[in-house]
Amino acid sequence: MSPHAPAPQAAQSAADRAHAALADKIVLGVLAPGALITEGEQSAELGVSRTPVREAFLRLAAEGLLRLYPKKGAVVTAEDGAATRQLLEARVMLESESVRACGSSEAATAATAAALDAILSAQADALRDGDSLAFTRADHAFHARVAAASGNTLVDGFYAQIRPRLERLTHTVARSGGANLPRFLSDHRRLVTFLERGDADRYAVLLRAHVGLDGPRASGS
């Protein structure tokens, strides 16, 4: 094996770290919508070369968090009302159909419910500790696990693609102080109940209300 073989793995690891750090900044609002960032400045801040930062920029652009401007840098995107609604509609459609598919298997339902209980425990801990980022990460883990219950890898991939944008929506509300986070957690527990019953229709109705599609409690949660 060539002595240089490990290099691509190291470079990829640096790109992963850069991506995670920049995604956190955007989700947390440290990098606000409309902010212009460059590879050079982010490379200096993160302590890595420009190559992994460039790769991170490309990934963030594919995820919808950045808009690239060649030779200038990138601008942090914003979610307008139409884009937000489309994201949340996609969440409802994917999850409710996953609940319907999962309901045909007792084993899949039991495994999903057990996984969701563990996630809700972590979300309750985050709520107690006042850790809004951990709360939103657990929030996404909850909804992503429901989507994964369908057993469809394409659904998993799509959810992974929109994850950062959904996290940003939820975290924006969480840090605004206007969100009722205990109610979000309570809604999640009720959603698990509907999943266990295989009641996809009632799951969809509650989820639409939960994310604010049918009323004023828009959360992205």
Side-chain angles (χ1 to χ4, degrees):
M1 180 180 294
S2 166
H4 299 296
Q9 183 176 357
Q12 182 58 42
S13 178
D16 287 343
R17 291 196 302 270
H19 173 267
L22 288 169
D24 279 354
K25 287 183 180 182
I26 294 171
V27 168
L28 285 167
V30 175
L31 292 174
L36 174 65
I37 61 176
T38 66
E39 292 176 8
E41 67 186 17
Q42 294 305 317
S43 174
E45 287 187 23
L46 298 175
V48 297
S49 69
R50 289 196 178 198
T51 298
V53 172
R54 184 175 303 118
E55 293 179 24
F57 274 27
L58 291 171
R59 287 173 60 183
L60 291 164
E63 292 166 346
L65 293 181
L66 290 180
R67 184 173 295 107
L68 302 180
Y69 291 91
K71 299 182 180 180
K72 294 182 180 179
V75 171
V76 178
T77 61
E79 303 290 355
D80 61 21
T84 296
R85 187 171 186 86
Q86 288 174 358
L87 278 171
L88 299 179
E89 289 279 9
R91 163 172 276 173
V92 172
M93 287 188 288
L94 290 170
E95 287 188 40
S96 58
E97 288 308 309
S98 288
V99 169
R100 199 180 309 279
C102 182
S104 63
S105 167
E106 289 186 9
T109 298
T112 301
L116 294 176
D117 283 343
I119 292 169
L120 290 182
S121 179
Q123 194 167 34
D125 289 344
L127 180 62
R128 182 198 62 221
D129 296 339
D131 188 337
S132 60
L133 182 59
F135 186 93
T136 58
R137 288 280 162 80
D139 181 284
H140 177 75
F142 176 93
H143 292 287
R145 185 61 184 84
V146 174
S150 69
N152 188 317
T153 56
L154 291 177
V155 171
D156 291 345
F158 181 71
Y159 236 83
Q161 186 73 14
I162 63 176
R163 173 190 63 79
R165 295 173 67 191
L166 288 168
E167 279 187 351
R168 179 168 62 172
L169 286 177
T170 304
H171 196 271
T172 297
V173 175
R175 72 171 184 267
S176 73
N180 188 334
L181 300 187
R183 184 174 62 190
F184 290 172
L185 186 57
S186 176
D187 283 352
H188 285 175
R189 292 185 172 122
R190 291 176 61 205
L191 288 169
V192 173
T193 298
F194 293 139
L195 179 140
E196 289 175 321
R197 296 175 183 171
D199 194 338
D201 291 338
R202 294 186 71 184
Y203 185 100
V205 169
L206 176 55
L207 184 56
R208 287 185 66 85
H210 176 66
V211 301
L213 286 171
D214 291 335
R217 56 193 285 197
S219 68
S221 174

